Amino acid sequence: MAKKSKKYRDATQRYEKLNPQTANEGVELVKSLATAKFDETMELAARLGVDPRKADQMVRGTVTLPSGTGTDVRVAVFAQGEAAQQATAAGADVVGSDDLAEQVQGGKMDFDVAIATPDMMPVVGKLGKILGPRGLMPNPKTGTVTDDVAKAVAEFKSGKVEYRTDRQGNIHVPVGKVSFEADALVANIRAVMEELNRARPATVKGRYIRKVTISSTMGPGVRLDPADLGATH
Protein backbone atom coordinates (compact mmCIF):
# COMPACT_ATOMS: atom_id res chain seq x y z
CA MET A 1 0.00 0.00 0.00
CA ALA A 2 1.33 3.43 -0.99
CA LYS A 3 2.39 5.64 1.88
CA LYS A 4 -0.01 8.52 2.46
CA SER A 5 1.39 12.02 2.06
CA LYS A 6 1.91 14.33 5.04
CA LYS A 7 -0.84 16.63 3.69
CA TYR A 8 -3.24 13.68 3.53
CA ARG A 9 -2.39 12.55 7.09
CA ASP A 10 -2.73 16.08 8.40
CA ALA A 11 -6.11 16.43 6.69
CA THR A 12 -7.49 13.25 8.25
CA GLN A 13 -6.52 14.48 11.70
CA ARG A 14 -8.67 17.57 11.28
CA TYR A 15 -12.00 15.74 11.53
CA GLU A 16 -13.63 12.62 12.97
CA LYS A 17 -13.64 10.09 10.11
CA LEU A 18 -16.41 7.92 11.53
CA ASN A 19 -18.82 10.78 12.23
CA PRO A 20 -21.34 11.04 9.35
CA GLN A 21 -21.98 14.58 8.12
CA THR A 22 -24.94 16.25 6.46
CA ALA A 23 -24.42 16.98 2.77
CA ASN A 24 -23.76 20.66 3.50
CA GLU A 25 -21.31 19.92 6.31
CA GLY A 26 -19.54 17.24 4.29
CA VAL A 27 -19.08 19.46 1.24
CA GLU A 28 -17.65 22.31 3.32
CA LEU A 29 -15.30 19.83 5.01
CA VAL A 30 -14.05 18.31 1.75
CA LYS A 31 -13.49 21.79 0.32
CA SER A 32 -11.43 22.72 3.38
CA LEU A 33 -9.37 19.52 3.12
CA ALA A 34 -8.54 19.99 -0.58
CA THR A 35 -4.97 21.31 -0.57
CA ALA A 36 -3.71 20.37 -4.04
CA LYS A 37 -2.47 23.10 -6.39
CA PHE A 38 -5.06 22.20 -9.02
CA ASP A 39 -8.86 22.30 -9.01
CA GLU A 40 -9.63 18.86 -7.60
CA THR A 41 -12.68 16.85 -8.62
CA MET A 42 -15.13 15.94 -5.87
CA GLU A 43 -16.35 12.34 -6.12
CA LEU A 44 -19.20 10.53 -4.42
CA ALA A 45 -18.79 6.86 -3.57
CA ALA A 46 -21.81 4.82 -2.48
CA ARG A 47 -21.80 1.28 -1.11
CA LEU A 48 -25.03 -0.41 -2.15
CA GLY A 49 -26.66 -3.45 -0.61
CA VAL A 50 -26.77 -5.32 -3.92
CA ASP A 51 -25.19 -8.44 -5.34
CA PRO A 52 -23.68 -7.32 -8.68
CA ARG A 53 -23.23 -10.97 -9.67
CA LYS A 54 -27.00 -11.12 -10.15
CA ALA A 55 -28.14 -9.53 -13.39
CA ASP A 56 -31.30 -8.11 -11.77
CA GLN A 57 -29.23 -6.32 -9.12
CA MET A 58 -26.83 -4.53 -11.44
CA VAL A 59 -27.44 -0.82 -10.87
CA ARG A 60 -26.58 1.21 -13.93
CA GLY A 61 -27.77 4.38 -15.60
CA THR A 62 -27.16 8.08 -16.04
CA VAL A 63 -27.88 11.20 -14.03
CA THR A 64 -27.79 14.83 -15.08
CA LEU A 65 -25.91 16.98 -12.60
CA PRO A 66 -27.81 20.28 -12.28
CA SER A 67 -24.58 22.20 -11.62
CA GLY A 68 -22.57 20.40 -14.30
CA THR A 69 -19.26 18.56 -13.84
CA GLY A 70 -16.83 21.41 -14.30
CA THR A 71 -14.98 19.19 -16.77
CA ASP A 72 -14.73 19.45 -20.55
CA VAL A 73 -16.22 16.10 -21.54
CA ARG A 74 -14.93 14.74 -24.84
CA VAL A 75 -17.65 12.86 -26.73
CA ALA A 76 -17.16 10.39 -29.58
CA VAL A 77 -20.07 9.40 -31.80
CA PHE A 78 -20.26 6.32 -34.03
CA ALA A 79 -22.63 7.40 -36.79
CA GLN A 80 -22.85 7.96 -40.52
CA GLY A 81 -24.81 10.10 -42.93
CA GLU A 82 -27.25 12.62 -41.48
CA ALA A 83 -26.76 11.36 -37.92
CA ALA A 84 -23.02 12.04 -38.20
CA GLN A 85 -23.74 15.60 -39.39
CA GLN A 86 -26.12 16.13 -36.46
CA ALA A 87 -23.52 14.87 -34.00
CA THR A 88 -20.90 17.24 -35.38
CA ALA A 89 -23.31 20.17 -35.24
CA ALA A 90 -24.15 19.32 -31.61
CA GLY A 91 -20.49 19.61 -30.63
CA ALA A 92 -19.21 16.04 -30.67
CA ASP A 93 -15.40 15.93 -30.52
CA VAL A 94 -14.96 12.84 -32.70
CA VAL A 95 -17.43 11.50 -35.26
CA GLY A 96 -16.99 8.52 -37.54
CA SER A 97 -18.04 4.99 -38.44
CA ASP A 98 -15.66 2.30 -39.64
CA ASP A 99 -12.81 4.80 -39.60
CA LEU A 100 -13.46 5.64 -35.94
CA ALA A 101 -13.62 1.92 -35.12
CA GLU A 102 -10.21 1.47 -36.74
CA GLN A 103 -8.80 4.31 -34.62
CA VAL A 104 -10.10 2.63 -31.45
CA GLN A 105 -8.64 -0.71 -32.50
CA GLY A 106 -5.35 1.09 -33.02
CA GLY A 107 -5.43 2.36 -29.44
CA LYS A 108 -6.57 5.91 -30.10
CA MET A 109 -9.35 6.71 -27.61
CA ASP A 110 -9.20 10.42 -26.93
CA PHE A 111 -12.73 10.65 -25.51
CA ASP A 112 -14.65 10.25 -22.24
CA VAL A 113 -18.03 9.12 -23.58
CA ALA A 114 -18.94 7.03 -26.63
CA ILE A 115 -22.35 7.29 -28.30
CA ALA A 116 -23.59 5.17 -31.20
CA THR A 117 -26.63 4.98 -33.45
CA PRO A 118 -28.35 1.55 -33.39
CA ASP A 119 -27.28 0.77 -36.96
CA MET A 120 -23.62 1.17 -35.93
CA MET A 121 -23.75 -1.39 -33.13
CA PRO A 122 -22.56 -4.32 -35.31
CA VAL A 123 -19.36 -2.32 -35.83
CA VAL A 124 -19.14 -1.02 -32.26
CA GLY A 125 -19.90 -4.46 -30.84
CA LYS A 126 -16.59 -5.74 -32.17
CA LEU A 127 -14.86 -3.16 -29.93
CA GLY A 128 -16.38 -4.55 -26.75
CA LYS A 129 -13.13 -5.94 -25.37
CA ILE A 130 -11.51 -2.53 -25.78
CA LEU A 131 -14.32 -0.18 -24.78
CA GLY A 132 -15.98 -2.38 -22.15
CA PRO A 133 -13.19 -2.48 -19.54
CA ARG A 134 -12.85 1.30 -19.83
CA GLY A 135 -16.55 1.90 -19.24
CA LEU A 136 -16.93 3.35 -22.74
CA MET A 137 -19.16 0.76 -24.40
CA PRO A 138 -22.39 2.38 -25.69
CA ASN A 139 -25.49 0.96 -24.00
CA PRO A 140 -29.22 1.67 -24.46
CA LYS A 141 -29.68 1.78 -20.66
CA THR A 142 -27.41 4.80 -20.40
CA GLY A 143 -28.79 6.57 -23.44
CA THR A 144 -25.59 6.11 -25.40
CA VAL A 145 -27.21 3.95 -28.09
CA THR A 146 -29.73 6.28 -29.70
CA ASP A 147 -30.95 7.72 -32.98
CA ASP A 148 -31.10 11.19 -31.40
CA VAL A 149 -27.34 11.68 -31.22
CA ALA A 150 -27.60 15.47 -31.08
CA LYS A 151 -29.61 15.32 -27.84
CA ALA A 152 -27.25 12.75 -26.32
CA VAL A 153 -24.17 14.82 -27.16
CA ALA A 154 -25.74 17.95 -25.66
CA GLU A 155 -26.71 16.12 -22.46
CA PHE A 156 -23.27 14.64 -21.83
CA LYS A 157 -21.61 17.94 -22.66
CA SER A 158 -23.83 19.77 -20.15
CA GLY A 159 -23.40 17.50 -17.13
CA LYS A 160 -24.88 14.06 -17.72
CA VAL A 161 -22.74 11.31 -16.20
CA GLU A 162 -22.91 7.53 -16.21
CA TYR A 163 -22.82 5.29 -13.15
CA ARG A 164 -22.66 1.55 -12.59
CA THR A 165 -21.89 -0.81 -9.73
CA ASP A 166 -18.45 -2.40 -9.62
CA ARG A 167 -17.82 -5.99 -8.52
CA GLN A 168 -18.12 -5.01 -4.85
CA GLY A 169 -21.41 -3.16 -5.25
CA ASN A 170 -19.84 0.30 -5.12
CA ILE A 171 -20.69 3.26 -7.34
CA HIS A 172 -18.33 6.18 -8.03
CA VAL A 173 -19.68 9.40 -9.54
CA PRO A 174 -17.94 12.77 -10.03
CA VAL A 175 -20.10 15.57 -8.58
CA GLY A 176 -18.13 18.67 -9.63
CA LYS A 177 -15.00 20.63 -8.78
CA VAL A 178 -14.01 21.77 -5.29
CA SER A 179 -14.02 25.33 -6.66
CA PHE A 180 -17.82 25.09 -7.12
CA GLU A 181 -20.02 26.90 -4.63
CA ALA A 182 -21.08 24.56 -1.82
CA ASP A 183 -24.76 24.78 -2.80
CA ALA A 184 -23.92 23.69 -6.36
CA LEU A 185 -22.06 20.61 -5.11
CA VAL A 186 -24.85 19.73 -2.68
CA ALA A 187 -27.39 19.98 -5.53
CA ASN A 188 -25.30 17.55 -7.60
CA ILE A 189 -24.94 15.14 -4.67
CA ARG A 190 -28.68 15.14 -4.02
CA ALA A 191 -29.38 14.55 -7.73
CA VAL A 192 -27.12 11.48 -7.69
CA MET A 193 -28.74 10.10 -4.52
CA GLU A 194 -32.26 10.63 -5.90
CA GLU A 195 -31.26 8.73 -9.03
CA LEU A 196 -29.71 5.86 -7.05
CA ASN A 197 -32.87 5.55 -4.95
CA ARG A 198 -34.98 5.59 -8.12
CA ALA A 199 -32.81 2.84 -9.62
CA ARG A 200 -33.13 0.51 -6.61
CA PRO A 201 -33.66 -3.06 -7.93
CA ALA A 202 -36.97 -4.61 -6.84
CA THR A 203 -35.17 -7.77 -5.70
CA VAL A 204 -32.93 -6.00 -3.16
CA LYS A 205 -33.75 -6.90 0.44
CA GLY A 206 -32.63 -5.01 3.55
CA ARG A 207 -30.74 -1.74 3.61
CA TYR A 208 -30.02 -0.46 0.10
CA ILE A 209 -27.73 2.53 0.68
CA ARG A 210 -25.10 1.15 3.06
CA LYS A 211 -22.52 3.95 3.05
CA VAL A 212 -21.92 7.25 1.27
CA THR A 213 -18.57 9.05 1.13
CA ILE A 214 -17.35 12.14 -0.68
CA SER A 215 -13.74 13.13 -1.29
CA SER A 216 -11.58 15.36 -3.43
CA THR A 217 -9.03 13.92 -5.86
CA MET A 218 -6.16 14.05 -3.36
CA GLY A 219 -8.10 14.33 -0.11
CA PRO A 220 -9.49 11.85 2.44
CA GLY A 221 -13.04 10.54 2.36
CA VAL A 222 -15.76 12.19 4.42
CA ARG A 223 -18.78 10.07 5.34
CA LEU A 224 -22.25 11.46 4.74
CA ASP A 225 -25.40 10.60 6.64
CA PRO A 226 -27.58 8.55 4.22
CA ALA A 227 -30.70 9.66 6.07
CA ASP A 228 -29.89 13.31 5.26
CA LEU A 229 -29.74 12.29 1.61
CA GLY A 230 -33.13 10.62 1.60
CA ALA A 231 -31.72 7.09 1.45
CA THR A 232 -34.35 4.36 1.38
CA HIS A 233 -34.20 1.19 3.44
Side-chain angles (χ1 to χ4, degrees):
M1 181 180 293
K3 187 176 181 180
K4 301 296 185 183
S5 69
K6 184 177 185 299
K7 281 187 178 180
Y8 185 99
R9 295 195 303 272
D10 289 345
T12 59
Q13 292 171 2
R14 288 162 55 192
Y15 73 102
E16 176 51 60
K17 290 181 69 175
L18 299 180
N19 183 27
Q21 312 283 319
T22 65
N24 294 79
E25 293 169 341
V27 164
E28 292 289 3
L29 190 50
V30 170
K31 285 170 69 71
S32 73
L33 296 172
T35 58
K37 295 180 180 180
F38 62 92
D39 193 7
E40 299 178 59
T41 295
M42 189 176 295
E43 182 182 86
L44 179 147
R47 175 76 171 91
L48 306 182
V50 299
D51 184 351
R53 294 173 298 179
K54 298 180 179 178
D56 59 359
Q57 290 193 25
M58 170 64 76
V59 180
R60 179 177 187 175
T62 59
V63 56
T64 298
L65 302 179
S67 308
T69 63
T71 301
D72 181 18
V73 179
R74 292 185 57 80
V75 178
V77 178
F78 291 87
Q80 51 192 346
E82 185 178 348
Q85 295 175 6
Q86 293 173 350
T88 300
D93 299 279
V94 186
V95 180
S97 52
D98 293 297
D99 55 331
L100 180 53
E102 289 177 6
Q103 289 180 29
V104 171
Q105 288 177 326
K108 187 177 181 180
M109 287 172 286
D110 189 20
F111 50 86
D112 308 298
V113 176
I115 296 168
T117 53
D119 64 299
M120 286 301 301
M121 286 311 292
V123 173
V124 179
K126 298 175 182 178
L127 306 174
K129 291 184 179 179
I130 301 173
L131 297 176
R134 294 170 174 78
L136 295 172
M137 188 67 185
N139 188 297
K141 291 183 178 180
T142 60
T144 48
V145 176
T146 175
D147 284 312
D148 194 348
V149 291
K151 179 183 177 183
V153 170
E155 287 177 340
F156 279 100
K157 283 285 189 179
S158 63
K160 190 175 187 178
V161 294
E162 294 185 54
Y163 66 85
R164 64 180 297 173
T165 45
D166 61 19
R167 293 180 180 179
Q168 287 73 46
N170 299 308
I171 278 178
H172 299 269
V173 185
V175 292
K177 297 290 186 178
V178 294
S179 61
F180 281 18
E181 293 294 330
D183 288 347
L185 289 164
V186 170
N188 281 350
I189 289 170
R190 293 197 180 282
V192 171
M193 293 307 299
E194 287 174 9
E195 168 60 21
L196 292 183
N197 279 318
R198 185 203 64 76
R200 174 177 177 152
T203 55
V204 170
K205 306 298 181 184
R207 194 151 53 98
Y208 174 52
I209 305 290
R210 299 288 179 86
K211 182 179 179 181
V212 181
T213 304
I214 54 175
S215 63
S216 63
T217 305
M218 305 298 290
V222 173
R223 287 189 64 181
L224 299 185
D225 181 2
D228 176 64
L229 299 169
T232 59
H233 293 281

